[in-house]
Amino acid sequence: MPDDFKNRVRVRLYQLFVEVGRCPRSAEVAGSLQCSVSDVTAAFQELAAAHMLVLQPGSGEILMANPLSAVPTPFVAETQSDAGSRSWYGNCIWDALGVIAMLQCDGRVLTSCGCCGESMTVSVRKRQVEAQPPGLVHFAIPAKRWWDDIVFN
Amino acid sequence: MGAVLSLEQAWKLADSWYRDRLSADWRRRTVDEAHDLFRSLGLTSEFWRLT
């Protein structure tokens, strides 16, 4: 499959995810690109094999278009603008902050402490980050093992 | 066990890693490029080695 087509699928997937506020299904991406669903699912599979997406094991639909998660997680990335508040799920705190970075806006991550469960809000304003209550970020899995089980990670 | 980052380090990691993800020009980093990025953020321990 041509790299150019796979990239078009990848970009359109992300655009729809951001525009709609939820993960589009393969049929929606196909409709948007005016191509077949089978071409899109084949592109998904090749992008997943290259660790550029993560697919749901049964349906083959998107599970992760990092930093975005297609399913609810404990990391809600919320942005505010004149148009109002919008939110997406991140796969972890790195990814939830990554949603705000990717959208290049101010925002906050609504989450909880991994140790004690205390509610936490991590705010990003003018590219400065602050947590309430203050905290640190813990990575449990060494980098070389991230893709051994990316869903667990 | 694991690695602990300050909030500022985590934000810079997220910003460096994901800022360009919506771009049509984005491509997956090579291992060397990822190591360079980690190093630029002070993440130099074995924990951050991808290979």
Side-chain angles (χ1 to χ4, degrees):
Chain A
M1 173 172 289
D3 286 346
D4 178 62
F5 178 73
K6 283 187 287 187
N7 198 43
R8 284 178 57 216
V9 169
R10 187 193 73 80
V11 170
R12 195 64 192 127
L13 164 68
Y14 275 83
Q15 288 172 337
L16 289 169
F17 211 144
V18 171
E19 288 169 13
V20 178
R22 62 164 177 79
C23 188
R25 296 184 66 80
S26 51
E28 295 173 283
V29 177
S32 177
L33 292 174
Q34 297 185 310
C35 65
S36 71
V37 175
S38 61
D39 281 349
V40 168
T41 55
F44 280 0
Q45 288 166 6
E46 291 197 22
L47 289 163
H51 291 176
M52 294 162 76
L53 296 173
V54 180
L55 306 183
Q56 299 183 38
S59 65
E61 296 289 345
I62 299 296
L63 178 61
M64 302 179 187
N66 304 74
L68 300 158
S69 171
V71 298
T73 73
F75 303 94
V76 177
E78 186 181 83
T79 64
Q80 279 113 14
S81 70
D82 294 342
S85 172
R86 303 192 64 202
S87 64
W88 297 263
Y89 291 106
N91 298 294
C92 58
I93 185 63
W94 177 4
D95 279 9
L97 289 169
V99 173
I100 295 168
M102 180 178 76
L103 298 175
Q104 301 186 20
C105 61
D106 292 345
R108 61 183 185 170
V109 178
L110 309 176
T111 186
S112 61
C113 174
C115 297
C116 66
E118 182 81 7
S119 173
M120 292 187 76
T121 301
V122 183
S123 301
V124 178
R125 184 172 174 78
K126 296 182 178 176
R127 298 171 60 76
Q128 298 297 311
V129 65
E130 179 182 66
Q132 188 58 46
L136 297 167
V137 176
H138 179 243
F139 288 77
I141 309 294
K144 68 180 64 170
R145 289 175 44 207
W146 285 346
W147 284 92
D148 291 356
D149 185 347
I150 193 64
V151 176
F152 173 75
N153 187 33
Chain B
M1 289 287 287
V4 176
L5 272 61
S6 69
L7 206 57
E8 290 75 17
Q9 278 180 305
W11 162 246
K12 288 177 181 173
L13 177 61
D15 191 39
S16 303
W17 198 262
Y18 285 119
R19 174 162 276 264
D20 60 349
R21 191 59 62 102
L22 293 177
S23 168
D25 295 328
W26 178 85
R27 61 177 176 79
R28 193 162 187 261
R29 285 178 181 79
T30 65
V31 168
D32 286 345
E33 288 169 341
H35 285 160
D36 286 346
L37 190 156
F38 294 153
R39 194 176 304 113
S40 75
L41 299 171
L43 308 176
T44 56
S45 70
E46 179 66 21
F47 184 92
W48 297 98
R49 296 293 304 176
L50 286 158
T51 55

